[in-house]
Amino acid sequence: MKPLTTIPKHLAVVMDGNGRWAQKRFLPRVAGHKQGVEAVRNLIRVAGESGVTCLTVFAFSSENWKRPEEEVTFLMELFFKALREEVEKLHTNGVRFRAVGDTTALSSETQSLINEAQALTRGNSNLTLNVAVNYGGRWDIEQAVAKAAAAGRSAAFAEYLSFADQPDPDLFIRTGGERRISNFLLWQLAYTELYFTETLWPDFGEPDFKAALAWFAERERRFGKTGDQVRETTQKVSA
Ligand code: IPE
Ligand code: IPE
Ligand code: MG
């Protein structure tokens, strides 16, 4: 078995390909979003079991408002329903839920549900689940600049970002075949290992997750140092 240190602590996922999954089956795009929720549920379970302590999933980007109105409405309702139906189970499983993004643009019912879910699960420590909704990496940097300026920049800049209290992602996974960040965690991905797979999000299951973990375990993370320096420290640590 691989040593536990090679498991990413923080995993960030761009769940892409729902629309294409549905279109391949001659179904409306929204059928793919619905099926995508099953894949998220499954990922939360397998990630937790594997030792991931922080999972961030991209549910709706700042730019996704540009989609057809019916699709946006469907996605908002799907988020609301998933939250309403899953929170108790997340809480039972020791998951701390957080919504990350400009939630002020969401319906007041959704905002209330988010507040309740966050309050209920605040003390949980098995897994932190960040759901990025109406989130954009540029939005995050902009709001952090505004907060830092208002506070006279009394702390390090990163303290004003949405993920201030969490480690940077170790592994980034994007399904659906595109090799881009699409305004996800711009600041936090500085040293993240980037994994891309053709698998469409609704098809992403445990074997795909395990394949990504295996790929991650083979990476040598240097953070600007040389490979020799890194291996020397690793040898010292394991000696
Ligand atoms: C990702 O799937 C889900 C969201 C962006 C909400 P898409 O809906 O982008 O699926 P494709 O990329 O069109 O297949
Ligand atoms: C990224 O997917 C956003 C989410 C998965 C929520 P998109 O489908 O919106 O990304 P682009 O438009 O193809 O870059
Ligand atoms: Mg897409």
Side-chain angles (χ1 to χ4, degrees), residues 11-27:
L11 167 65
V13 186
V14 175
M15 314 182 287
D16 195 27
N18 292 349
R20 280 165 285 163
W21 181 92
Q23 281 162 341
K24 260 177 42 183
R25 287 162 178 76
F26 305 101
L27 294 168

Side-chain angles (χ1 to χ4, degrees), residues 14-23 28-34 58-76 78 134-135 174-176 178 180-182 201-202:
V14 175
M15 314 182 287
D16 195 27
N18 292 349
R20 280 165 285 163
W21 181 92
Q23 281 162 341
R29 289 179 53 84
V30 295
H33 297 316
K34 205 164 164 233
F58 206 2
F60 192 89
S61 78
S62 316
E63 289 72 30
N64 288 146
W65 296 107
K66 295 177 195 161
R67 293 191 175 200
E69 200 186 326
E70 318 84 71
E71 184 168 340
V72 170
T73 307
F74 185 91
L75 283 166
M76 289 298 151
L78 191 63
N134 193 22
Y135 174 87
R174 180 173 185 140
T175 61
E178 308 297 350
R180 55 180 174 247
I181 306 294
S182 297
W201 177 250

